[in-house]
Amino acid sequence: MFVRFFFKIFFLLLFILSISILFERAQIDTRKLVRTDPMPYTKELMAEKKYADAHEYLSYFMNFDYVKNNPNAVELFNKIQNKRESFSYKTQKIWQGLIEGKSDETIGNTSAFISDLFLFGDLRDLTIQGLNYKNHEEVDEVIVMLSAVGVIASASTIASAGTSVGTNVAISTLKLAKRSNKIPNWISRYVKSTFGIMKRSKSIQPLSTITQDIYKINKNVGIKHTLNILNKTQNFKSLPKAVKMSAKYGKNSSVLLRIAGKNSIKLLDSLKNIPKNSVLLASQYGTNGLKALSKFGVKRFLIRTGKTAYKS
């Protein structure tokens, strides 16, 4: 009786395992891989007036001949470029950064970032949240805490003759990420859990475990890309991986993370020993292209994708 039951369980598990393997193979069957057409998603972003994201996404694929040689793609790229270079658009984004403390454009993020470094941003945020409290509206605790931490950090920078500049940059990045809804939950929880200690000690030392890595990412790719990379981190362990990824892929990191999909940092970390150009080449086939590269390695991947075609 027991032996029969054991065999039933064994064959059931074997069946489930076989189905899982077949499903995985189907997911990364290189014969079914096709190059991504970036134009539909680019147009979606434009319809949402996210011109910076649209430019970034299409620019990434313009590195590939099949897009670069497409007249429609070139025309769309120039249309986005002209919009972003207009004086009225740039002025609007600068003011958005100063007044709202956030922007989807690099120029707007820079103005928001500078306002934070010179305390204007902290005072603005504390005033806004104070008015929210007075009017019985929702108060963003994390913004209040980060603004208070920003004041402490600025005082520390003055006292240490600028030795805390890296920390200040990291904290300003976190504030910008929070206002832009790009701060991951695990960082928000960590800020809340350590704020009491920082308030009592008047020291931002507890945040140093993450600020150093955030500053490194910022140095590697700039503020806008740092926000996108931070948004994809899931815990403390993923942050150092994000630092290495930003150093390897530079300003291609944001779109590459978008292409990699769910658990993007984990997937790209599995490709850490594969040359950058091979990863970028595989990315034109989307998430499954990156998974196939991770599974087969460079040589087998290139052989297997030799006959894949672009489908518009």
Side-chain angles (χ1 to χ4, degrees), residues 22-64:
L22 288 172
F23 178 75
E24 182 185 3
R25 285 182 177 177
Q27 289 291 95
I28 57 174
D29 185 352
T30 52
R31 292 170 299 179
K32 296 180 180 179
L33 291 178
V34 292
R35 292 188 176 110
T36 302
D37 177 5
M39 292 180 64
Y41 186 59
T42 300
K43 289 176 181 177
E44 281 183 34
L45 292 170
M46 291 175 68
E48 296 171 9
K49 300 190 183 301
K50 295 180 179 178
Y51 295 103
D53 290 340
H55 180 268
E56 179 182 74
Y57 186 74
L58 186 56
S59 293
Y60 182 92
F61 286 95
M62 290 291 282
N63 291 312
F64 303 115

Side-chain angles (χ1 to χ4, degrees), residues 56-76:
E56 179 182 74
Y57 186 74
L58 186 56
S59 293
Y60 182 92
F61 286 95
M62 290 291 282
N63 291 312
F64 303 115
D65 288 340
Y66 78 95
V67 177
K68 184 170 59 179
N69 296 330
N70 182 340
N72 293 328
V74 174
E75 183 183 354
L76 190 63

Side-chain angles (χ1 to χ4, degrees), residues 111-309:
S111 63
F113 195 73
I114 292 172
S115 71
D116 279 332
L117 290 177
F118 288 96
L119 278 180
F120 169 76
D122 294 317
L123 297 177
R124 175 198 59 219
D125 291 340
L126 289 171
T127 300
I128 291 171
Q129 297 306 319
L131 289 172
N132 286 347
Y133 178 78
K134 182 181 178 182
N135 296 327
H136 304 289
E137 296 176 1
E138 185 180 357
V139 175
D140 192 323
E141 291 182 344
V142 176
I143 281 290
V144 172
M145 290 175 183
L146 286 173
S147 296
V149 167
V151 174
I152 296 171
S154 296
S156 300
T157 302
I158 294 170
S160 58
T163 57
S164 302
V165 170
T167 302
N168 249 328
V169 167
I171 291 170
S172 293
T173 301
L174 285 175
K175 285 183 284 186
L176 189 50
K178 184 67 179 78
R179 296 188 209 106
S180 305
N181 294 319
K182 290 188 175 181
I183 193 168
N185 290 332
W186 72 270
I187 290 183
S188 291
R189 289 194 299 268
Y190 185 67
V191 169
K192 288 180 181 180
S193 67
T194 57
F195 181 70
I197 300 171
M198 290 187 283
K199 185 179 178 182
R200 288 191 297 273
S201 63
K202 291 183 171 55
S203 168
I204 56 172
Q205 185 60 33
L207 276 185
S208 63
T209 51
I210 61 173
T211 54
Q212 292 176 11
D213 282 340
I214 293 171
Y215 179 57
K216 289 175 185 175
I217 296 173
N218 214 317
K219 283 181 68 178
N220 289 336
V221 297
I223 182 63
K224 186 177 188 300
H225 297 283
T226 300
L227 299 181
N228 294 329
I229 293 171
L230 269 185
N231 185 238
K232 293 291 186 178
T233 60
Q234 297 176 322
N235 48 46
F236 282 102
K237 289 183 180 179
S238 62
L239 196 55
K241 293 176 182 178
V243 174
K244 293 177 182 177
M245 189 202 69
S246 67
K248 181 176 181 178
Y249 300 110
K251 293 186 177 180
N252 285 318
S253 301
S254 289
V255 176
L256 196 53
L257 282 168
R258 192 193 297 265
I259 293 169
K262 189 178 180 181
N263 299 320
S264 52
I265 290 181
K266 183 179 179 181
L267 174 57
L268 291 175
D269 186 59
S270 72
L271 300 167
K272 61 187 174 185
N273 295 322
I274 291 179
K276 171 185 171 180
N277 287 342
S278 298
V279 176
L280 296 179
L281 178 68
S283 72
Q284 65 186 299
Y285 299 101
T287 307
N288 288 334
L290 294 172
K291 287 181 179 178
L293 178 62
S294 178
K295 181 177 177 62
F296 299 119
V298 177
K299 192 175 291 185
R300 287 177 65 197
F301 175 81
L302 291 176
I303 292 171
R304 285 169 175 260
T305 56
K307 294 182 179 180
T308 55

